Amino acid sequence: MPSNWNALFIAWAVSLIIVIGGGLFFEFTHDPASHQAEPEQPRQEVAENTTPQQQPAPADAGTADNEDDDHTASGDEDTPAADMPLNQPTAEPEQQSHQQDPETGLSTPAQSAPASAPQIAISGTLRVEADPALLEQSNQGPLPKIADDGRKPFNVYAAPAPRNDTKHRIAIVVTDMGMMARNTRRAIAELPSEVTFAFSPYASNLMEWGEEARRTGHEVLLMIPMEPQNYPQNDPGPLSLLASYSTRENVNLLKSSLGRLTGYVGIINHMGSRFTAAADSLRPVLDELQRRGLMMVDSRASQYSRAVNMSRAIGLPSAYNNRYVDDNLAPDAINAELAELEQYAQTVGSAVGVAHNYPVTINAINRWAAGLEARGFILVPITAVADRQPAPR
């Protein structure tokens, strides 16, 4: 009997040693941080990191006279640069010289950067913060207005006139800014400061995006959603101006968009093939823009648009799109559209192109702009071509 007790005691002691020793070993070797679940990415960032195979390709559209409904269906996607390997993500300059604000998604200057890191060129020529004298406080947000001394947002927020006034002028407007953070950051960081940015009223952090764009020398436009021909099958969203609405309803919707951003020189219509051709609906909107000291850029969603001719009749500064640059995302097709812009500018003196902030488009515009002056042209912000184009036909 004692021998049995001894055996049980020895077995119990060995088990106790194994349990205590295993616990101590786990305590000294376990790293809790390595087993914590990673926080779920925000929905927007997940969309940005979607591989090209998961994203539908943007539909090819025709010329600038066609309905621009196709110009929005894919505008919120990150499209890979065609000349880069698909399994190698594009490096963003902000990662080298800027830090990202985790709350807003915007890049801010880093405290220190390597001497070899590329720096964003700061123009120092545009007012970054909105001028309080040019703002009307309202329940729809800070609305642009003409200052008591007569200054207009169109003039105050415009970039200086081009240094070379003898070359043919070409303006590029990049739309859908603010909808995809990565594409927006890349466009701001990489595109020449003469390129104009058009921000969507549906984007978040609009005020911060606008200030960052102006800080790097870019003029800013605000996109105003307007009714297309096939509405409501193709719906520009809850802020859309509709031909069936009353003047009061459309002006209130216009103000709802205008109050979401400050520091812009004017607006550009988003879709709008039906609305811009409806003179009775369009006229009060143009009157409101003129009263607030802005400019009108017609994206030419329709060849029947009345926007420019009506703007000129009331003294509202205006410009209009001559070519959609990236309906076809093949680099050769984008280059061909940019070449068409040059031919048009050479013929009439000034031209405007509208593009998206796709990486392939950014690359193509940068390559094209690098040799532009040598070919007798100059890249200019949108205000530099206001009222310089012949009346649209």
Side-chain angles (χ1 to χ4, degrees), residues 267-321:
I267 69 102
I268 183 172
N269 57 295
H270 169 56
M271 299 193 189
S273 56
R274 176 178 293 173
F275 193 87
T276 58
D280 291 341
S281 298
L282 181 62
R283 184 174 292 107
V285 171
L286 298 180
D287 287 339
E288 184 70 15
L289 296 175
Q290 194 270 345
R291 190 175 72 83
R292 296 190 175 277
L294 300 171
M295 80 172 292
M296 169 71 191
V297 180
D298 185 3
S299 67
R300 295 292 288 174
S302 166
Q303 61 179 332
Y304 303 109
S305 173
R306 307 284 300 278
V308 172
N309 290 331
M310 292 177 65
S311 294
R312 292 181 178 180
I314 63 173
L316 173 64
S318 64
Y320 62 92
N321 175 34

Side-chain angles (χ1 to χ4, degrees), residues 29-112:
T29 60
H30 176 62
D31 182 6
S34 66
H35 295 276
Q36 292 178 351
E38 295 183 359
E40 183 180 356
Q41 286 183 303
R43 182 180 302 272
Q44 182 180 19
E45 294 301 323
V46 172
E48 290 169 1
N49 293 328
T50 306
T51 60
Q53 290 80 2
Q54 294 171 313
Q55 299 179 7
D60 288 348
T63 64
D65 288 337
N66 291 339
E67 170 61 62
D68 81 333
D69 302 340
D70 293 334
H71 304 300
T72 58
S74 61
D76 295 347
E77 300 171 359
D78 282 317
T79 306
D83 55 351
M84 297 181 181
L86 295 182
N87 60 348
Q88 295 182 6
T90 303
E92 296 184 19
E94 291 89 329
Q95 296 172 348
Q96 299 175 358
S97 60
H98 280 57
Q99 294 175 337
Q100 182 176 344
D101 185 334
E103 296 183 359
T104 66
L106 298 178
S107 60
T108 56
Q111 296 299 320
S112 60

